[in-house]
Amino acid sequence: MPSPRIDLYSDTQTRPTKGMREAMANAEVGDEQRGEDPSTNRLCEMTAEMLGKEAAVFMPSGTMCNQIAILVQCNPGDDIIADKTAHIINSEGGGPAVFAGTMIRPVDGVRGIFEPDQAEAAIRKARRHAPRSRMIAIEQTANSGGGTVWPLEQIRAVGDVAQKHGLVMHMDGARLPNAVVAAGVSARDFAEPFDSLWIDLSKGLGCPVGAVLAGSADFIEQAWQWKQRMGGAMRQSGVIAAAGIYALKNNVERLAEDHANAKFFAESVANLPGIKVETDGIDSNMVFFDVSETGMTAAQVHERLLEHGVRIGENNHMRMRVVTHLDVTREQITEAAEALRSVVMEASRAA
Ligand SMILES: *Cc1c(COP(=O)(O)O)cnc(C)c1O
């Protein structure tokens, strides 16, 4: 199958643009693991500054940021409190159990977002029988929650709970820049209640690879040791760090276009027979919809859309996810909505 013409599978499908590639080609480089790569150092400084933290470290991926943040801050047998839809629970191969040996206590939030009371209820009383509650982890935006944005006040209230009980706060900020643009709240304000957090460069920001983890100088020093241990330390990483610097300068504000495109797609398909769009909470660049009443499964809709050159991911048996990004235009969104219309209409005629 040739690659789809219009790829709404994920914002990971972005390709580095000409401007980004030029920045990469011209990057000043050195040995990253000796702290001698000027472009990587610059990217880390920019990110730490943006997030209001003392220090930052460049990582190959967001998954490694989550795993290392957990390794540094949790001991084996500790509990992490996270929403049931969290990436660390569902999409990291059981990493927290494998590496840090932690438990995760899932919270039943709404669209990936839970209440401070729920966090507090999930914290265990210190007793010999129970795991130690150690970390509250939130995802901004909440991916499987619907690309939903955690409101700043709610983050602060959860942070107060963590502080009261002596737990650390961790943000999986894979799409924090989307939340910043959607909510009009600075990254620094969102970051303030967190001991550790990171942003992904390879999602909506359009870089080929990389993520940046931030926190206190002491936290980053320990994170560096884990990065070295796990084989994440690099050499002339300036070539890819330059893409990150370029993205932070050029690709943040434009995320508003992706958000407008997501809303536009949702409106375009909302009335199609059998398609149920999860309309409350199209906060950012994702649209989830249910196909159960089309008479087709998500896998079947996925296949038929591919025949139209459009790829939309199956989130589960009946739920599909559209993600808008840098490499899809408004025209292509219109075309994708039209393709879904044809697929659904064909099915309802056949029924
Ligand atoms: C993509 C993603 C990750 C992992 O990032 P990678 O760079 O793919 O390893 C973690 N959390 C969320 C919410 C994500 O969407």
Side-chain angles (χ1 to χ4, degrees):
M1 177 90 54
S3 60
R5 220 162 17 89
I6 303 172
D7 200 342
L8 299 169
Y9 169 76
S10 175
D11 46 11
T12 55
Q13 302 307 302
T14 49
R15 309 277 169 99
T17 57
K18 190 155 177 287
M20 183 177 280
R21 286 171 190 258
E22 276 166 12
M24 296 171 78
N26 295 326
E28 259 190 275
V29 297
D31 187 347
E32 189 247 7
Q33 48 180 290
R34 297 183 55 83
E36 293 170 359
D37 184 275
S39 303
T40 305
N41 292 344
R42 176 91 196 96
L43 171 67
C44 292
E45 283 158 20
M46 280 172 77
T47 309
E49 163 70 22
M50 180 177 98
L51 300 175
K53 299 297 175 195
E54 284 174 2
V57 53
F58 189 38
M59 294 285 191
S61 72
T63 300
M64 198 182 273
C65 292
N66 275 336
Q67 295 307 324
I68 288 182
I70 292 169
L71 275 162
V72 170
Q73 298 175 107
C74 300
N75 286 322
D78 284 352
D79 241 358
I80 298 169
I81 294 164
D83 186 79
K84 63 184 185 295
T85 63
H87 200 276
I88 54 170
I89 297 180
N90 301 298
S91 304
E92 300 189 11
V98 174
F99 301 119
T102 62
M103 314 270 288
I104 303 189
R105 194 149 200 218
V107 176
D108 188 18
V110 176
R111 299 187 65 84
I113 295 175
F114 50 83
E115 297 295 325
D117 289 353
Q118 290 179 290
E120 191 149 34
I123 297 174
R124 300 174 195 271
K125 225 163 77 194
R127 43 202 287 270
R128 209 190 284 153
H129 308 67
R132 178 180 71 147
S133 301
R134 176 60 183 150
M135 171 184 276
I136 300 179
I138 76 146
E139 225 171 86
Q140 182 73 304
T141 64
N143 178 345
S144 282
T148 40
V149 175
W150 275 79
L152 181 58
E153 284 315 308
Q154 195 154 341
I155 288 178
R156 286 182 173 155
V158 171
D160 290 345
V161 169
Q163 195 163 33
K164 179 172 150 202
H165 295 273
L167 275 68
V168 297
M169 287 277 282
H170 171 70
M171 183 200 285
D172 171 339
R175 295 185 181 80
L176 173 61
N178 294 79
V180 165
V181 169
V185 170
S186 72
R188 183 180 273 258
D189 282 348
F190 272 136
E192 196 275 328
F194 293 91
D195 299 285
S196 56
L197 81 160
W198 59 274
I199 57 166
D200 215 323
L201 301 170
S202 71
K203 302 274 167 82
L205 295 185
C207 299
V209 63
V212 188
L213 175 65
S216 69
D218 176 58
F219 167 78
I220 292 300
E221 192 49 40
Q222 294 181 65
W224 247 111
Q225 185 165 47
W226 278 109
K227 166 170 143 131
Q228 192 77 47
R229 260 183 203 137
M230 293 182 132
M234 295 177 249
R235 301 272 149 65
Q236 288 74 32
S237 58
V239 174
I240 48 178
I245 294 169
Y246 178 91
L248 290 179
K249 288 185 182 154
N250 297 285
N251 291 351
V252 176
E253 292 309 317
R254 65 149 306 285
L255 291 169
E257 289 171 39
D258 300 344
H259 301 172
N261 280 340
K263 285 210 174 69
F264 176 75
F265 181 86
E267 286 159 13
S268 309
V269 304
N271 296 320
L272 293 182
I275 298 288
K276 270 213 267 337
V277 180
E278 297 173 16
T279 45
D280 58 326
I282 300 179
D283 293 352
S284 60
N285 67 334
M286 296 185 185
V287 182
F288 284 79
F289 58 89
D290 179 284
V291 298
S292 46
E293 283 167 27
T294 61
M296 291 177 283
T297 62
Q300 288 168 326
V301 175
H302 173 86
E303 280 306 309
R304 299 210 180 144
L305 281 169
L306 282 179
E307 292 162 16
H308 294 259
V310 174
R311 179 156 72 162
I312 297 180
E314 318 154 39
N315 181 253
N316 63 33
H317 190 52
M318 289 296 177
R319 191 182 189 222
M320 301 191 78
R321 184 187 76 168
V322 159
V323 188
T324 58
H325 55 77
L326 189 58
D327 288 11
V328 280
T329 61
R330 178 59 69 100
E331 290 69 40
Q332 290 177 313
I333 295 289
T334 308
E335 261 189 77
E338 273 311 311
L340 183 60
R341 178 185 303 276
S342 318
V343 167
V344 168
M345 289 307 183
E346 211 175 294
S348 73
R349 270 197 301 278

